[in-house]
């Protein structure tokens, strides 16, 4: 069978299983094993099924996944989000739309202590949404700001998404984590500038605030954020300086979040147990998905699909920028119907080799893919962050949220254009990190 045809059949079978409701991990494993059985023989398929999961599970670099999840669990249960939100709120109290700004800035701060966009979106919905509605903010814009700000956890270290991309593309976890810092800051800043401009055109979205805080109260509020600042400095500073490996940074972050919660007397035995249980379950799910993605990638390599697509792209004379534009369009369209995690594991096994054939910088490529995944997470109707917000606010209408997220999608697309035009925004930190 022709390599291109067999590869397309494998991808089609995968999409069919997903449409039938089979979990993404098992769908990829089934297609990969059956495909390798057909392409080679049953012994080869069984050998891959035995050795690749073991090799993945004993990869010490991946210990960073449960550590970062554990850190996020400790941080969220210790009430760090509430402290961040209140501290930022005090400094922005007099600005129109101040609660939106507080949500964005606090989400960016919490992103440095949690690698999960879903956790951020869920918890901020419970904290910020009632406040916004009480003061007369538009429900859709309020919910949209929470969903969009939650995606900052995908870029700002620690990021589970970055670790998955690094594992699937065999890149340096540390450099890819550092590459997400500047795009994350750019995105948060763009949200705030963008929403300010939208509020000039649509003032009914948010009322003027008559709340005031004295300088003493503002400074007092900063006491609530010292823990997050310390954690972020330890993790990002340690990675950048080379003091920590990514795995060690994850362990330091988890231990730091635990000690912080205990010192503030906000972590009970039940909280600690729930954090460990959550870390174990989520890490297990992610590892199974990662193994499925690696098996799928191995199949596409073995049956010649990856090489065939590479040669096709070269023969068509597609330039690197044209390829990235096509990929961006594909992700944005597919993101309307396929969840972001599935997009990563389905597409990277064959898209990454193509990008390397055309000489695209691997770190920049990884962050652009993550940025597209971030957009997919807030794109109706299947954006995971949208589901997280609606799940935490059942009274919210889906149509309100879908309208409210549109301004943030526009801002995200503008940020994407900037990252296309100025790749040094992504590459500057990892390049200076490599020289240090």
């Amino acid at each position: 069978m022709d390599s291109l045809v067999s590869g397309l059949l494998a991808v089609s079978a995968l999409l069919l299983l997903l449409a039938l409701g089979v979990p993404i991990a098992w769908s990829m494993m089934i297609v990969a094993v059956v495909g390798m059985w057909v392409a080679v023989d049953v012994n080869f398929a069984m050998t891959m099924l035995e050795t690749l999961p073991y090799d993945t599970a004993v990869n010490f670099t991946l210990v960073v996944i449960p550590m970062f999840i554990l850190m996020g669990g400790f941080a969220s249960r210790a009430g760090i989000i509430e402290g961040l939100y209140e501290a930022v709120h005090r400094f922005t109290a007099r600005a129109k739309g101040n609660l939106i700004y507080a949500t964005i800035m606090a989400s960016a701060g919490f992103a440095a202590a949690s690698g999960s966009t879903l956790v951020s979106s869920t918890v901020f919905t419970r904290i910020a949404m009632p406040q916004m509605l009480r003061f007369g903010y538009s429900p859709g814009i309020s919910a949209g700001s929470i969903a969009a700000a939650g995606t900052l956890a995908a870029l700002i270290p620690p990021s589970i998404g970055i670790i998955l991309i690094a594992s699937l593309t065999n890149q340096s976890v540390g450099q890819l984590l550092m590459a997400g810092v500047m795009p994350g800051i750019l995105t948060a800043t763009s949200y705030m500038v963008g929403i300010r401009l939208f509020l000039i055109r649509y003032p009914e979205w948010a009322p003027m605030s008559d709340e005031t805080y004295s300088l003493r109260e503002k400074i007092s509020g900063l006491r609530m954020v010292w823990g997050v600042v310390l954690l972020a400095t330890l993790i990002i500073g340690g990675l950048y300086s080379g003091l920590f490996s990514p795995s060690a940074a994850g362990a330091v972050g988890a231990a730091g979040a635990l000690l912080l919660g205990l010192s503030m007397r906000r972590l009970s035995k039940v909280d600690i147990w729930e954090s460990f249980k959550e870390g174990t379950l989520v890490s297990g799910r992610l590892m199974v998905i990662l193994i499925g993605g690696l098996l799928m990638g191995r199949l596409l390599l073995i049956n010649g699909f990856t090489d065939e697509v590479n040669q096709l792209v070269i023969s068509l004379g597609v330039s690197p920028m044209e390829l990235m534009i096509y990929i961006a369009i594909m992700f944005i369209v597919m993101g309307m119907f396929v969840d972001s995690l599935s997009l990563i594991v389905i597409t990277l096994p064959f898209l990454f080799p193509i990008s390397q054939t055309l000489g695209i910088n691997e770190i920049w490529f990884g962050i652009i893919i993550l940025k597209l995944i971030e957009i997919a997470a807030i794109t109706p109707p299947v954006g995971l962050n949208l589901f997280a917000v609606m799940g935490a606010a059942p009274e919210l209408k889906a149509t309100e949220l879908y309208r409210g997220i549109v301004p943030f999608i526009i801002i995200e697309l503008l940020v994407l254009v900037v990252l296309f035009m100025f790749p040094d925004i992504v590459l500057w930190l990892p390049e200076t990190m490599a020289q240090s």
Side-chain angles (χ1 to χ4, degrees):
M1 185 183 298
D2 180 77
S3 298
L4 195 58
V5 173
S6 65
L8 290 174
L9 284 175
V11 174
S12 299
L14 175 60
L15 294 176
L16 176 61
L17 289 175
L18 291 175
L20 293 174
V22 181
I24 178 68
W26 306 120
S27 296
M28 290 188 296
M29 287 186 186
I30 291 169
V31 172
V33 171
V34 172
M36 286 187 280
W37 185 344
V38 173
V40 186
D41 57 42
V42 64
N43 290 330
F44 180 84
M46 291 300 102
T47 299
M48 284 292 103
L49 188 59
E50 291 174 5
T51 58
L52 193 143
Y54 175 81
D55 292 340
T56 304
V58 298
N59 184 348
F60 182 72
T61 302
L62 295 179
V63 75
V64 71
I65 293 179
M67 290 297 99
F68 281 159
I69 294 172
L70 193 59
M71 180 176 68
F74 289 146
S76 60
R77 288 179 174 84
I80 288 176
I81 291 182
E82 289 90 337
L84 270 173
Y85 182 76
E86 178 59 28
V88 177
H89 169 56
R90 292 185 184 186
F91 275 89
T92 60
R94 295 300 299 274
K96 183 178 179 63
N98 69 299
L99 294 179
I100 297 176
Y101 303 141
T103 298
I104 294 168
M105 294 174 67
S107 293
F110 184 66
S114 170
S116 172
T117 64
L118 296 181
V119 169
S120 180
S121 297
T122 301
V123 179
F124 270 101
T125 301
R126 294 171 181 157
I127 295 170
M129 192 73 178
Q131 285 277 78
M132 294 188 194
L133 296 181
R134 184 163 65 90
F135 283 98
Y137 282 66
S138 162
I141 292 299
S142 302
S145 67
I146 295 169
T151 63
L152 295 172
L155 284 170
I156 299 174
S159 166
I160 303 302
I162 285 180
I163 296 167
L164 287 176
I165 290 176
S167 301
L168 287 168
T169 58
N170 197 28
Q171 291 193 57
S172 164
V173 174
Q175 287 197 320
L176 206 55
L177 283 170
M178 291 308 303
V181 174
M182 295 306 292
I185 294 173
L186 174 64
T187 302
T189 305
S190 300
Y191 280 161
M192 296 184 66
V193 173
I195 206 64
R196 180 71 187 97
L197 296 176
F198 274 112
L199 286 177
I200 295 174
R201 175 63 180 84
Y202 304 101
E204 69 276 10
W205 285 358
M208 288 296 296
S209 173
D210 56 1
E211 289 185 290
T212 59
Y213 292 92
S214 67
L215 181 61
R216 180 185 294 272
E217 288 173 321
K218 291 178 181 179
I219 294 175
S220 174
L222 293 177
R223 297 175 186 172
M224 307 180 205
V225 305
W226 69 269
V228 174
V229 172
L230 179 61
L231 278 178
T233 302
L234 275 174
I235 296 170
I236 299 176
L239 285 171
Y240 181 79
S241 64
L243 182 63
F244 301 139
S245 67
S247 301
V252 169
L258 175 60
L259 293 175
L260 179 62
L262 292 174
S263 68
M264 298 167 67
R265 298 186 178 181
R266 292 183 178 177
L267 277 180
S268 65
K269 292 181 180 178
V270 173
D271 291 329
I272 294 173
W273 170 248
E274 288 298 318
S275 296
F276 275 110
K277 186 166 70 172
E278 176 188 69
T280 302
L281 292 174
V282 175
S283 299
R285 292 191 194 104
L286 288 175
M287 287 296 291
V288 173
I289 291 171
L290 178 60
I291 290 169
L294 292 172
L295 282 169
M296 190 71 187
R298 193 67 57 89
L299 167 65
L300 297 178
L301 184 65
I302 289 168
N303 68 10
F305 177 75
T306 301
D307 291 336
E308 194 75 25
V309 174
N310 280 341
Q311 294 303 316
L312 179 62
V313 170
I314 293 172
S315 67
L316 292 175
V318 176
S319 70
M321 189 55 65
E322 287 174 335
L323 174 67
M324 293 306 298
I325 292 172
Y326 295 149
I327 290 175
I329 294 171
M330 179 187 74
F331 267 74
I332 291 170
V333 172
M334 290 183 65
M336 296 180 184
F337 310 102
V338 182
D339 70 87
S340 52
L341 187 58
S342 299
L343 271 178
I344 291 178
V345 294
I346 291 172
T347 59
L348 276 189
F350 66 90
L351 287 180
F352 181 71
I354 296 172
S355 73
Q356 298 309 286
T357 300
L358 295 182
I360 297 173
N361 183 281
E362 59 182 12
I363 293 177
W364 182 80
F365 177 83
I367 295 301
I368 292 297
I369 291 297
L370 192 66
K371 192 65 182 171
L372 293 169
I373 293 301
E374 183 181 310
I375 296 173
I378 58 173
T379 304
V382 191
L384 287 183
N385 278 30
L386 303 182
F387 285 135
V389 171
M390 286 189 287
E395 72 282 359
L396 179 69
K397 296 179 181 177
T399 52
E400 291 178 323
L401 178 54
Y402 291 167
R403 286 196 299 266
I405 200 64
V406 170
F408 296 93
I409 294 176
I410 294 172
I411 295 169
E412 282 279 16
L413 293 175
L414 292 175
V415 172
L416 183 65
V417 171
V418 171
L419 295 179
F420 267 65
M421 295 174 62
F422 304 101
D424 283 345
I425 295 174
V426 174
L427 301 176
W428 176 65
L429 271 182
E431 284 177 354
T432 55
M433 170 189 176
Q435 295 166 5
S436 61

